[in-house]
Amino acid sequence: MRKKLTLVLVTLLALFLLVGCSTQQEAAVQKEGQTSQNNTETLKIGIAKEPANLNPVLISGLYGESLAGNIFDTLVSFKENSAKASPALAESWEINKAGTEYTFYLRKGVNFHNGDKLTADDVKFTLEAIMNPENASPSKEFFEPVKMIEVIDDYTVKITLKNPYSPFMMALGNPTAGIIPKKVVEKIGMDEFDRNPIGTGPFKFAEWIPDDHIKLVKNKDYFLAEPNLDEVIYRPIPKAEVMAAEIQAGGIDIASDLLPQDIKKLSQDDSLVVKTVSGLSLKYVGFSAQIKPFSDVRFRKAVYYAVPIDDVVQGIFGDTGDRAYSWIPPSVFPDDNEYMKAHALKQNEDKAKELFAQLKAEGILKDGFEFSIYSPQDPYRKKVATAIATELKSYGLNAKVEALEWGTLLPLLKKGKAGIYIMGWGSVPDPDRWTYKIFHTGSAMNFSKYSNKVVDQALEQGRRLVGSDKRGTEYKKAMRKALVKDYIHIPLAFTNVTTVMNKNVEGFEPSPQGYFHLVTDKRNVTIK
Amino acid sequence: MLNYILRRLLILIPILIFISLFIFVIIKLTPGDPALVLLGERATEQALNQTRIKYGLDQPLHIQYFKMMENFFKGDLKSINYKQNVISVIINRLPATLELGAAALVIAIIVSIPAGIISAIKRNSVFDYISMSIALLGISIPVFYTGIILMYIFAVKLNWLPASGYGGHIWTTEGFKYFILPAISLSFVLMASTTRLTRSSILEVIQEDYIRTARAKGVKEKSVILIHAFKNALVPIVTNIGNQVAGIFAGAVLTETVFAWPGVGRLAVNAIFRRDEPLVFGCVIFLSAVYVIVNLIVDLVYTLINPQITYD
Amino acid sequence: MISKYLIVLLGFNLLTLIFSLSKATNNQDNLISYLIFALLTLALGFLINKVRKTNQTDSNIQTTSNLTWKKLKRNKNAVFGLIIIIILVYISILAPFIMPHDPLEMNWGKTIQKPSLEHWFGTDEFGRDIFSRAIYGVRIALGIGLLAVVLNTLLGTFLGLIAGYYGGRVDNLIMRAIEMWNSIPFILMAIALIAALGTGLLNLILVVSITGIMQFARVIRSSVLGLKKADYVLAAKVMGIPDRQIIIRHILPNCIAPIIVLATLRIGEMILTIAGLSFLGLGIQPPMPALGSMLSSGQQYISENLMMSIVPGTMILLIVFAFNLLGDGLRDALDSKLSN
């Protein structure tokens, strides 16, 4: 009886071990590979969130782009200068006068990581894959103006646009337009390629252990230079305070997305170097243009008057962000900061009270009005929401903060169901990317459901005019109307990109978009 | 005996059906859109629809449920986020959680059983008082609080151990270092309850007649305690440890979050947050099955340590 | 005996009532707190009256409550726990009168300050007073914990009673259902449920209160199984008294002891669960001060101001610890069967 039982238990135990071993074998093989070459240069980068995708066509967020930038190459590059395109896979290019025909001459002798040659066919395939609705590419919208892609010869591609579209080069230079190998993707499919990406970039994809790390190894034959680093490991560390602990303890070499107080603390550590560049991302408060009472401009102005925005931004973002007055960052043309700043509202309790009283008298606002301020689960934005909710309490408004997961928050915002929300935006340095998708009627990111003819027209004009001062006037017009006349948003802060790195990391500079460029024509990051 | 085991395993079927239905309803009640989470805020409506069709999210609910069940048991259910088979996603994460749980269990047993026995023998001594207070504090402290404090002291201030992450299997020297802090913080709760239970069951057993008889017969005190008393006190202790295995999974969710540990607990929580419906479904069913099987094993272990219990 | 302590407490209550009268009508929150406290005082008065009467009439006969009190009093830990709980309950009811600052009041000029005379435990990242927030946090934790435990107790007891009393198929059905319920890792279920229902106090209470009914139902069921065979229950059955009355009149009162013990021990667990959910961002939502979220934001400032994490952490610890101490003591005093 007992013998039998022991037998059963032993079998069960064996089964468990089997399961453990089968997964352990793979790992063991990798481990050996690691230990055999002891003096490998490995750079460990901490990232706040694990990317969901590595296939450029499918990538939807910053971290995916950041990784893809090291695995793939784009036709043109903005890695060293985020405003001006420089050659990458395309050695040179021509744009016709009307701004509708782009001809790219590809660099010869570039190979994918699997040894295949890169040709114009791959370029055509990649861009068409982005435009193909079946792939549901998040970057599809940037290629909407494309009419036709022609392969002239193996190393020449011509792209024809339906109408001139100024930010087109930016779209081509974004990591989401990284060129993928036609042959491989056609064979294994988009999803499989997502888990086993092959590009032309400085690093080859090696392994991805979800929620633990993604490992890249160097591509010796990279066309710019052989990377100095042998391996790059990206580690997703969701808690900012843990990230700070890790960089201090030496678990990672580069940390990003740190909290202001941690940056201050880490800057006193002699073994670490703190580097900051002004970034290309904005945090803002948005109001609904459709839901009462938020749709009443007096309500929005009252909130603006009620909350000491300057103090809130200083208190919450500290040195990691500067007060914003417009959507378009100061470094991006056209600069209208002075006008916007002059017309921003300063805290004024009496005016706030007066406006709220007016609204109450007209029956638009009830005393003790209950509503939610929506924000994502990010410490900064949650704190802003908390501060606003607290300030409004003293005006007899019962605001509560709902810090939601993206999965819940995004559908809510897309449907325009949020009365007040704290959101952010980051993009490339072109005014169109900072305005059209947010303020144009019916745009995907227009969470306020804002709709104004003047603004719409100005934004449409801005897309058509190429590189002229008139273009700037249009964007100024749109911003002035939406932000300091209608007060549909309160811009909070342009956040800086600060990276903290180990002293022995050489040649690394943070990029305004928060990418990690490791090998470019100007740099080749190394570890001493 | 075999009959009993078979019967218990058969019960698994209705349990899993119930759980699958339950979790399916919860998933479908949850606001949010898996397609939107996958494609991000820039996605167009067309792209979203394409993704919904791809993962069958446009089908009527009952069909979605049966498809999910069918695919799960065929091993074809694919995670939206990882684009991989759900079962293999879970199995890949299992070693990290199992090893962490086992390490916590071992630490708890090594510390708490001797502590419990000594407390029982030297009842009302200073040792008893201190260890019982610590044990009571142990079950009163939030598991994530211990984690952060340990990390702050040993990783940041003293720089002895890595702050977070998984460095490989526990039997490798590199990997072992990564295990120490999370395993200790996870073992706290278990340690506390096992110490208390060991003490009280030994105290209870000591008053039994056969212990008195043994003492009267002149058996050495050491062997009275270790052989006679401890053996008989083992049943409740094992039960408790068995019950706590489920608690380890629960605690692991928080510990894994604090220490950025790539285990099943964090996988499941992230799946919920990312609205990865197939993965949530798979994780919950899988973890529930593990729980039921562990309970079965615990029940079987009883019969080993206490032959009076039979299941026929 | 017992009345001596109660009279001291009553005196304290009355004094507090008089002194805080001026603040009572400041706002709604204060008024409610004041009224609750007045009710508590009234109840205390009645209790003293009753204890005195029973003591006078039959001073020789030991009533069960008297016996329990004596046993409990001998257990120093339990008394210690009880005292902490009483203090915490008093603090949380009287919070509006004790707090030196408004727990929501921000001060951007005074963020993350070390303890001072003005701010006893310093200030947090919004310049809010940590001491006041901790007090308010205790109030909310206790409030939610108690409500959840009551709900939990009602549900668990009900299921246990039905399963134990009717036995057979009903028993089987209920126990299997609870077992299935219990085989889903509870924190996962709580997270999934909150994700589905949305955050908010009510949902939070609901979710934590249904996640742990297993223990209750099991223990109550087993004591019902024993009671069912007692002579007086059998007699009642023979007399044709309806089941519902038998359960309410004869069985339930005899299950009170294990119910109280379990409920006391569960409060601690519930408060820990709520703190855990708050840590994951799913618990009580700001700006309402909650110990769990204070703790998780305190971790972000662990080297700037240790008070931000130590104070809420210690408060959680203290509440749970006190309830565990008392629960242990009650278990020893009330029910020897439960000592496992």
Side-chain angles (χ1 to χ4, degrees), chain A residues 284 410 413-414 416 421 423 438 444-449, chain B residues 41:
Chain A
Y284 68 97
L410 275 181
L413 290 172
K414 284 230 159 191
Y421 56 90
M423 279 294 290
I438 299 97
M445 291 282 293
N446 189 343
F447 300 144
S448 292
K449 301 289 162 204
Chain B
E41 50 199 24

Side-chain angles (χ1 to χ4, degrees), chain A residues 1-2 4-6 8-9 12 16 19-20 22-24 26-27 31 44 50 52-53 58-61 65 133-142 176 191 194-195 209-212 235-239 241-242 245-246 248-250 405-408 410-411 414 423-425 437 444-445 447, chain B residues 1-2 5 31-33 36-44 46-48 50-51 54-55 81-84 91-95 98 148 151 155-156 159 161-169 171-172 178 257-258 260-262 266-267 270 273-275 293-294 297 300-301 303-305 307 312:
Chain A
M1 172 64 216
R2 284 183 76 182
K4 246 191 214 167
L5 184 58
T6 325
V8 172
L9 283 174
L12 275 169
F16 265 105
V19 172
S22 61
T23 51
Q24 162 211 334
E26 306 160 29
K31 267 262 129 58
K44 291 185 189 141
E50 183 176 65
N53 303 88
L58 305 178
I59 284 173
S60 68
E65 290 172 14
E134 263 179 44
N135 291 327
S137 171
S139 344
K140 182 168 176 282
E141 190 167 347
F142 305 134
T176 51
D191 280 354
D194 192 39
R195 296 289 123 171
I209 301 195
D211 278 343
D212 188 46
R235 274 187 57 195
I237 303 171
K239 293 237 157 212
E241 59 269 27
V242 178
E246 273 294 355
Q248 225 173 355
E405 290 302 328
W406 287 112
T408 322
L410 275 181
K414 284 230 159 191
M423 279 294 290
W425 178 254
K437 293 195 83 168
M445 291 282 293
F447 300 144
Chain B
M1 185 67 224
L2 227 56
I5 295 177
D33 182 351
L36 198 49
V37 179
L38 187 69
L39 298 187
E41 50 199 24
R42 297 188 307 215
T44 54
Q46 194 188 14
L48 290 173
Q50 203 66 44
T51 309
K54 185 171 168 189
Y55 291 99
N81 190 56
Y82 296 107
K83 297 178 182 59
Q84 256 175 0
I91 297 277
N92 276 333
R93 301 296 200 82
L94 207 54
L98 281 185
I148 280 285
M151 190 195 290
V156 178
N159 211 349
L161 295 165
S164 71
Y166 177 75
H169 290 286
W171 46 86
T172 60
Y178 284 86
T257 307
V258 172
W261 195 258
R266 206 161 130 235
L267 177 77
N270 281 342
F273 287 162
R274 288 171 184 156
R275 299 288 177 277
I293 291 171
V294 167
I297 296 175
L300 294 179
V301 172
T303 49
L304 273 187
I305 50 180
D312 288 309

Side-chain angles (χ1 to χ4, degrees), chain A residues 122-155:
Chain A
D122 298 307
V123 176
K124 181 176 154 78
F125 174 78
T126 305
L127 301 183
E128 282 177 349
I130 295 174
M131 289 153 64
N132 184 353
E134 263 179 44
N135 291 327
S137 171
S139 344
K140 182 168 176 282
E141 190 167 347
F142 305 134
F143 290 87
E144 216 74 352
V146 175
K147 192 163 126 198
M148 188 166 56
I149 302 165
E150 290 162 280
V151 174
I152 308 286
D153 60 51
D154 264 8
Y155 295 100

Side-chain angles (χ1 to χ4, degrees), chain B residues 201-262:
Chain B
S201 16
I202 296 263
L203 279 180
E204 210 165 280
V205 169
I206 279 177
Q207 289 158 5
E208 300 280 340
D209 290 340
Y210 55 85
I211 297 291
R212 274 187 226 151
T213 320
R215 278 195 182 136
K217 272 160 103 186
V219 181
K220 272 188 197 151
E221 186 65 20
K222 230 186 213 165
S223 54
V224 169
I225 299 289
L226 288 183
I227 296 170
H228 299 266
F230 182 64
K231 209 174 156 195
N232 286 291
L234 210 54
V235 180
I237 297 172
V238 171
T239 323
N240 178 57
I241 290 174
N243 288 337
Q244 295 282 343
V245 170
I248 284 188
F249 269 109
V253 170
L254 292 169
T255 312
E256 286 176 3
T257 307
V258 172
F259 287 99
W261 195 258

